[in-house]
């Protein structure tokens, strides 16, 4: 019997040592120490032993049971520790690893240039004004000295919604709206950025929707000299201090006299190249002295007030400033194009 018990002990200890998880260990415990296990069986059979053998065997069984229990406890502890260590190892965070960069967008190049122009004029005391894109024929044309049937209306192929309602073809209607609000009292000093629409076929230099920035100054004693000085500051700040401007006579129904402003070509320095079409000059915007009839129609007394206005296309300015060769790049939103401007932020 003693031999059998010793054998059981060795067997149990081997199984305990071999257990690699808590479930197996528990199975070993139940198998050896459980009610139906061999040790309990030995204890049950104690009654059959002689009086002098019984305490000897009893002591031996207790020692063996204790040894097995202790071994199970130790193994249990080891396995638990192992599991915790394994979990810790698998969940380790290397705080020295660089983080994953969050992808951020950037402002659209047109927005950037429009904001740059806004800032420039705000710095000269202008306020930013806005108007509706669905506009009345009256503000888009009539109040700007373009009555129905005027031939100059044909220059701006218009999307009509009804006979009196249209998608504005220019930001100039904001001039008329702002003057009306001032109820004949100057000064007025505004720029109006916004979207405009024309029935053009899209190509490298035309888009059926594009943007304009309008400028308007009205006060007593405003002269052509003020206009020229303002445009000169604008051109130098936008394109570089070494740029010259020149004004050429032109025609717009809402200004008299009307001019177009060119800047000297930076690429060839005035000698003539492909960008300036061999002229040494690049056309930038239209401008002029506000036509007395326009002042009058919007409630200003042309005997007392004079003013100047100008209108430009931010697409054209952005194209010249950054060497963009196709207006459609601004609207197709190819990230490879847009991201080039993000770098310059
Ligand atoms: N509205 C004109 C256009 O779309 C641009 C323009 C020219 C605006 C002269 C003006 C101006 O205010 O004075 O072609």
């Amino acid at each position: 019997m003693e031999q059998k018990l010793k054998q059981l002990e060795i067997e149990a200890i081997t199984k305990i040592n071999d257990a690699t998880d808590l479930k197996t260990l528990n199975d070993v415990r139940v198998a050896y120490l459980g009610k139906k296990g061999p040790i309990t069986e030995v204890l049950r059979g104690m009654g059959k032993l002689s009086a002098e053998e019984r305490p000897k065997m009893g002591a031996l069984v207790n020692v063996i049971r204790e040894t097995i229990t202790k071994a199970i406890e130790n193994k249990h502890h080891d396995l638990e520790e192992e599991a915790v260590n394994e979990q810790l190892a698998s969940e380790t965070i290397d705080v020295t690893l660089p983080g994953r960069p969050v992808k951020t967008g950037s402002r659209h190049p047109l927005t950037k240039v429009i904001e740059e122009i806004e800032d420039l004029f705000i710095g000269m005391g202008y306020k930013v004004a806005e108007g509706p894109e669905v506009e009345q024929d009256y503000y888009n044309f009539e109040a700007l000295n373009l009555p129905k049937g005027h031939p100059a209306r044909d220059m701006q192929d218009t999307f009509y919604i009804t006979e009196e309602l249209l998608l504005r073809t220019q930001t100039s209607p904001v001039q008329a709206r702002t003057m009306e609000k001032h109820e004949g009292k100057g000064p007025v000093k505004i720029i109006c950025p916004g979207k405009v629409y024309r029935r053009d076929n899209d190509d490298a230099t035309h888009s059926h929707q594009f943007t304009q920035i309008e400028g308007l100054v009205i006060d007593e004693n405003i002269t052509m000299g003020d206009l020229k000085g303002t445009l000169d500051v604008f051109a130098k700040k936008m394109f570089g201090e070494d740029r010259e401007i020149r004004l050429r006579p032109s025609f717009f129904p809402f200004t008299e006299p009307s001019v177009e402003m060119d800047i000297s070509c930076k690429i060839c320095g005035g000698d003539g190249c492909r960008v300036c079409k061999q002229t040494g000059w690049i056309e930038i915007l239209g401008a002029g002295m506000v036509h007395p009839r326009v002042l009058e129609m919007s409630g200003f007394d042309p005997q007392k007030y004079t003013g100047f206005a100008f209108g430009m296309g931010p697409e054209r300015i952005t194209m010249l400033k950054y060497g963009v060769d196709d207006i459609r790049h601004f609207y197709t939103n190819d990230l490879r194009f847009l991201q080039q401007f993000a770098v310059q932020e």
Side-chain angles (χ1 to χ4, degrees):
M1 187 165 219
E2 198 180 327
Q3 198 58 37
K4 199 181 158 202
L5 278 168
K6 287 254 146 83
Q7 189 59 39
L8 272 176
E9 185 186 1
I10 293 166
E11 239 179 71
I13 298 291
T14 315
K15 282 191 180 156
I16 290 165
N17 286 340
D18 288 350
T20 51
D21 58 74
L22 291 170
K23 190 185 168 304
T24 317
L25 187 64
N26 194 46
D27 290 347
V28 175
R29 187 183 62 77
V30 172
Y32 286 88
L33 303 178
K35 277 187 198 135
K36 290 175 190 153
I39 295 190
T40 313
E41 214 178 284
V42 171
L43 284 173
R44 273 204 204 105
M46 294 280 272
K48 289 180 200 139
L49 293 175
S50 64
E52 74 218 46
E53 246 187 333
R54 212 177 291 155
K56 228 174 100 193
M57 273 304 142
L60 182 64
V61 169
N62 276 341
V63 168
I64 290 175
R65 197 165 53 180
E66 213 140 282
T67 311
I68 294 175
T69 310
K70 200 93 214 143
I72 289 175
E73 264 172 26
N74 288 343
K75 185 73 182 181
H76 193 272
H77 181 261
D78 288 353
L79 284 177
E80 246 177 12
E81 203 170 73
E82 226 170 78
V84 169
N85 285 341
E86 238 167 64
Q87 194 179 357
L88 280 178
S90 72
E91 288 175 5
T92 302
I93 297 166
D94 183 354
V95 290
T96 64
L97 276 178
R100 287 191 196 95
V102 178
K103 272 200 181 159
T104 52
S106 60
R107 284 177 307 153
H108 192 277
L110 262 186
T111 310
K112 280 169 73 167
V113 167
I114 290 171
E115 285 177 3
E116 194 182 332
I117 297 171
E118 277 178 10
D119 285 350
L120 211 154
F121 281 100
I122 288 168
M124 293 196 274
Y126 287 67
K127 291 218 154 57
V128 176
E130 282 181 352
E133 288 170 30
V134 175
E135 185 55 285
Q136 294 170 34
D137 182 278
Y138 174 77
Y139 289 112
N140 195 78
F141 289 130
E142 269 176 64
L144 296 169
N145 202 25
L146 272 146
K148 290 208 166 84
H150 192 290
R153 281 195 178 208
D154 298 344
M155 279 161 41
Q156 304 186 359
D157 250 341
T158 311
F159 286 112
Y160 275 95
I161 295 165
T162 67
E163 227 166 88
E164 296 302 328
L165 217 53
L166 45 80
L167 293 182
R168 67 178 178 191
T169 57
Q170 47 188 355
T171 43
S172 306
V174 188
Q175 282 189 22
R177 286 179 171 274
T178 309
M179 279 193 270
E180 236 181 46
K181 269 196 216 128
H182 272 75
E183 295 179 334
K185 277 193 244 11
V188 177
K189 215 171 167 187
I190 52 155
I191 53 158
C192 336
K195 288 185 189 137
V196 299
Y197 303 82
R198 289 190 197 179
R199 286 175 49 201
D200 270 331
N201 288 327
D202 294 358
D203 62 25
T205 52
H206 294 85
S207 169
H208 60 282
Q209 182 262 297
F210 55 103
T211 61
Q212 279 193 340
I213 297 184
E214 191 80 9
L216 174 71
V217 173
I218 295 172
D219 206 346
E220 294 175 32
N221 304 317
I222 295 290
T223 68
M224 194 92 180
D226 297 316
L227 171 63
K228 191 172 180 188
T230 304
L231 295 181
D232 195 40
V233 169
F234 163 73
K236 288 188 160 65
K237 288 269 181 280
M238 259 342 255
F239 295 101
E241 291 296 328
D242 54 344
R243 294 302 187 98
E244 299 287 323
I245 66 161
R246 79 171 181 189
L247 301 181
R248 278 182 293 109
S250 185
F251 170 78
F252 299 103
F254 31 87
T255 45
E256 183 57 38
S258 301
V259 292
E260 259 161 289
M261 182 190 89
D262 300 338
I263 56 165
S264 54
C265 181
K266 197 176 188 170
I267 296 171
C268 61
D271 296 340
C273 66
R274 258 178 41 210
V275 174
C276 61
K277 298 192 189 110
Q278 311 302 331
T279 63
W281 295 93
I282 298 168
E283 188 190 316
I284 295 289
L285 52 77
M289 300 306 291
V290 181
H291 197 293
R293 271 194 56 72
V294 172
L295 286 171
E296 211 167 45
M297 272 188 282
S298 295
F300 275 79
D301 178 1
Q303 299 299 326
K304 188 175 171 198
Y305 286 105
T306 49
F308 66 74
F310 54 87
M312 64 180 103
E315 281 85 350
R316 181 164 170 74
I317 289 170
T318 311
M319 287 167 89
L320 288 170
K321 208 169 147 76
Y322 294 107
V324 177
D325 61 1
D326 194 319
I327 194 170
R328 289 167 293 196
H329 286 315
F330 295 124
Y331 299 111
T332 44
N333 286 331
D334 185 333
L335 286 181
R336 289 169 302 182
F337 171 73
L338 296 176
Q339 272 160 358
Q340 295 176 58
F341 297 88
V343 178
Q344 291 163 13
E345 289 252 12

